[in-house]
Amino acid sequence: MKTDLPHILIAEPEFLIALDAEYLIKAAFDCRVTLQRPEQVDHWDLAALADVDLCLLDVPGETAETLARIRRLVDKGVPLLLTTISEIQRGGVTGFEVVPVVTKPFEAETLTALVKARLRPRPQPLETTDQN
């Protein structure tokens, strides 16, 4: 596996929706994708989160659990793109209005544009020159 590729974490409770997001994103550009349920991400340590260049996080509502999950990821420096089926969260999540929200079902161009815009830049490998 190429670890120099961007790593996208899709934290989605519905497996088929996660697969749809993965398909659309991988069709747009090379990346590594990990699929998890949102509650599983709560157990990721700092080293694992440091490898994540973007997390698509399902927001079923503004519950204390969901807001705490968002806060933890923001505090750990993980770039976020929130996903929802709710029209209420479509305009943003209270306290995290700067984090974009994309609605499901995903529209390919919208999803990939937001992923590209939010993706943490990866350092480019140094070019080696032939000194012969």
Side-chain angles (χ1 to χ4, degrees):
M1 173 183 350
K2 289 183 154 186
T3 58
D4 59 331
L5 294 175
H7 182 200
I8 298 174
L9 170 61
I10 299 174
E12 167 62 51
E14 299 294 331
F15 185 66
L16 293 177
I17 293 174
L19 285 178
D20 182 42
E22 177 183 31
Y23 174 78
L24 294 171
I25 292 167
K26 284 189 150 192
F29 57 94
D30 288 336
C31 61
R32 298 176 290 140
V33 175
T34 301
L35 306 179
Q36 294 279 288
R37 294 185 52 79
E39 62 273 10
Q40 291 174 299
V41 177
D42 296 342
H43 304 289
W44 282 40
D45 63 18
L46 185 56
L49 290 174
D51 182 54
V52 174
D53 298 301
L54 178 66
C55 176
L56 275 69
L57 179 63
D58 175 65
V59 179
E62 294 187 21
T63 65
E65 180 182 32
T66 299
L67 295 174
R69 184 172 294 125
I70 296 169
R71 169 60 50 212
R72 178 177 178 265
L73 292 170
V74 166
D75 289 348
K76 301 297 182 193
V78 177
L80 289 177
L81 176 57
L82 304 177
T83 66
T84 189
I85 59 169
S86 171
E87 286 298 316
I88 295 170
Q89 276 76 43
R90 183 179 194 169
V93 174
T94 305
F96 302 97
E97 290 85 357
V98 297
V99 180
V101 179
V102 63
T103 54
K104 302 179 252 185
F106 301 117
E107 196 278 319
E109 290 81 18
T110 302
L111 177 65
T112 56
L114 285 169
V115 166
K116 288 178 184 179
R118 297 292 295 174
L119 198 61
R120 180 191 339 250
R122 284 210 160 240
Q124 296 299 315
L126 296 174
E127 290 187 31
T128 57
T129 57
D130 191 7
Q131 300 294 327
N132 288 336

